[in-house]
């Protein structure tokens, strides 16, 4: 499992990527912001992605969660602040339920909430397609990424931006690989087989749920309801952002929300520890 620890001091912040997303996606904006705030970011390539080994598909969120749990324990990093995006949020949510002792706090972006009709239809279509495995053309992954990930106004009116995103997504050659297919299997299984609302009240970890205004998969209304059900949940909406482009095109707002929450969480944890030792 490929990982990189950035910096030598500060509380560790584990970035958990979305479906098929390499850890380097956090490097342009989030890693520098966290280093400047005094934290120690860790970026990771998930199972089957980038420089991490690909085992045969399918994968499950439980399996991917265990990968990250083992990484934290092997490196002796826990407890960490976890920052997840999309499928990374599924993993952070699952970890908060299974191993809250490993978490100082959690930021869950673009992946928390009840499954909407549209998200379920999207997941069901991929459930039917994935058994075809390597026969699936890369163009399907690219079109899906653009249509589901960018804000509607951008898709409709800004061909230049859409074309640049198309080139970026197309640079990942061989999308119908065992690793990518395994990642999609895990994502769909979590969406279609889990009653998410049953578990939110059990998440005691300090949690910031971040939704993106134009996210078709996980709209703000679902994230707001999830955060309200968590004992220590908070909620923020990033205005103007879509599911995929938020950490890039709206990185200032995203970074401000993450850093402010982490700093406040660190202060609260330090205060609680000081009070307990008296």
């Amino acid at each position: 499992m490929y990982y990189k620890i950035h910096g030598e001091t500060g509380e560790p912040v584990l970035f958990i990527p979305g479906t098929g997303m390499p850890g380097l996606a956090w490097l342009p904006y989030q890693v520098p912001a966290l280093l400047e705030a005094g934290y120690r970011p860790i970026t990771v390539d998930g199972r089957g992605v980038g420089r991490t080994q690909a085992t045969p598909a399918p994968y499950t969120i439980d399996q991917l969660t265990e990968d990250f749990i083992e990484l934290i324990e092997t490196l002796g990093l826990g407890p960490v602040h976890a920052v997840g995006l999309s499928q990374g949020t599924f993993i952070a949510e699952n970890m908060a339920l299974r191993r809250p002792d490993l978490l100082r706090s959690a930021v869950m972006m673009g992946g928390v909430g009840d499954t909407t009709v549209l998200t379920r239809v999207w997941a069901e279509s991929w459930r039917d397609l994935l058994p075809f495995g390597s026969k699936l053309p890369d163009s399907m992954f690219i079109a899906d990424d653009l249509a589901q990930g960018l804000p509607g106004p951008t898709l409709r009116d800004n061909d230049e931006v859409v074309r640049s995103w198309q080139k970026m997504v197309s640079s990942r050659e061989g999308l119908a690989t065992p690793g990518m297919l395994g990642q999609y299997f895990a994502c769909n299984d979590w969406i279609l087989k889990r009653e998410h609302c049953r578990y939110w009240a059990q998440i005691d970890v300090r949690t910031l749920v971040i939704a993106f205004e134009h996210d078709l998969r996980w709209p703000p209304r679902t994230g707001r309801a999830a955060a309200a059900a968590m004992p220590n949940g908070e909620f923020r909406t990033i205005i103007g952002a879509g599911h995929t482009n938020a950490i890039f095109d709206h990185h200032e707002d995203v970074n401000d929300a993450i850093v402010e929450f982490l700093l406040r969480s660190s202060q609260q944890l330090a205060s609680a520890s000081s009070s307990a030792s008296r």
Side-chain angles (χ1 to χ4, degrees):
M1 192 171 189
Y2 177 82
Y3 67 91
K4 183 173 178 60
I5 300 175
H6 306 265
E8 298 180 356
T9 61
E11 295 174 2
V13 178
L14 179 65
F15 283 105
I16 309 178
T19 307
M21 171 184 168
L24 59 81
W26 305 103
L27 297 184
Y29 302 113
Q30 285 68 51
V31 167
L34 269 292
L35 285 171
E36 184 178 353
Y39 289 94
R40 187 162 37 121
I42 301 102
T43 53
V44 183
D45 289 345
R47 182 182 295 238
V49 179
R51 285 169 279 189
T52 291
Q53 179 183 1
T55 57
Y59 306 160
T60 66
I61 294 300
D62 282 344
Q63 188 178 35
L64 300 180
T65 302
E66 191 60 35
D67 289 344
F68 282 89
I69 288 174
E70 290 186 11
L71 180 68
I72 294 171
E73 293 184 328
T74 299
L75 298 179
L77 291 171
V80 304
H81 300 282
V83 177
L85 174 66
S86 191
Q87 182 168 274
T89 286
F90 307 165
I91 295 169
E93 181 179 339
N94 203 27
M95 193 182 301
L97 290 165
R98 295 176 56 185
R99 291 296 306 274
D101 59 299
L102 294 180
L103 298 178
R104 297 174 188 263
S105 71
V107 179
M108 304 181 185
M109 302 190 291
V112 180
D114 277 330
T115 303
T116 66
V117 173
L118 175 61
T119 301
R120 180 167 288 275
V121 170
W122 167 79
E124 288 172 345
S125 70
W126 276 102
R127 178 195 60 195
D128 296 338
L129 288 167
L130 287 173
F132 292 95
S134 60
K135 295 180 181 179
L136 295 173
D138 288 355
S139 59
M140 289 189 59
F141 291 88
I142 295 167
D144 178 74
D145 205 324
L146 295 176
Q148 294 281 345
L150 296 179
T154 299
L155 290 168
R156 182 188 62 212
D157 298 326
N158 199 326
D159 285 346
E160 182 178 352
V161 170
V162 175
R163 190 173 293 111
S164 68
W165 273 91
Q166 178 190 13
K167 290 180 180 178
M168 183 173 68
V169 176
S170 300
S171 67
R172 299 179 295 173
E173 296 181 0
L175 293 173
T177 61
M180 180 65 79
L181 295 172
Q183 292 265 324
Y184 266 72
F185 270 114
C187 181
N188 286 359
D189 184 70
W190 178 267
I191 290 171
L192 295 175
K193 294 184 179 180
R194 185 178 176 86
E195 295 181 48
H196 304 282
C197 62
R198 293 176 52 193
Y199 301 95
W200 296 328
Q202 302 173 32
I203 296 178
D204 291 328
V205 174
R206 289 180 178 84
T207 301
L208 173 63
V209 175
I210 296 179
F212 309 128
E213 182 185 15
H214 297 294
D215 192 338
L216 296 178
R217 296 177 182 174
W218 306 98
R221 61 181 174 87
T222 64
R224 185 179 293 107
M230 297 177 187
N232 294 297
E234 303 178 23
F235 178 75
R236 286 282 300 274
T237 299
I238 303 299
I239 302 300
H243 185 80
T244 301
N245 75 327
I247 67 170
F248 301 102
D249 298 339
H250 299 268
H251 62 271
E252 292 183 355
D253 291 338
V254 169
N255 293 349
D256 286 348
I258 294 172
V259 169
E260 189 277 332
F261 173 76
L262 293 185
L263 289 172
R264 189 156 38 83
S265 295
S266 295
Q267 292 169 357
Q268 291 170 347
L269 289 167
S271 177
S273 176
S274 176
S275 297
S277 63
R278 292 173 186 169

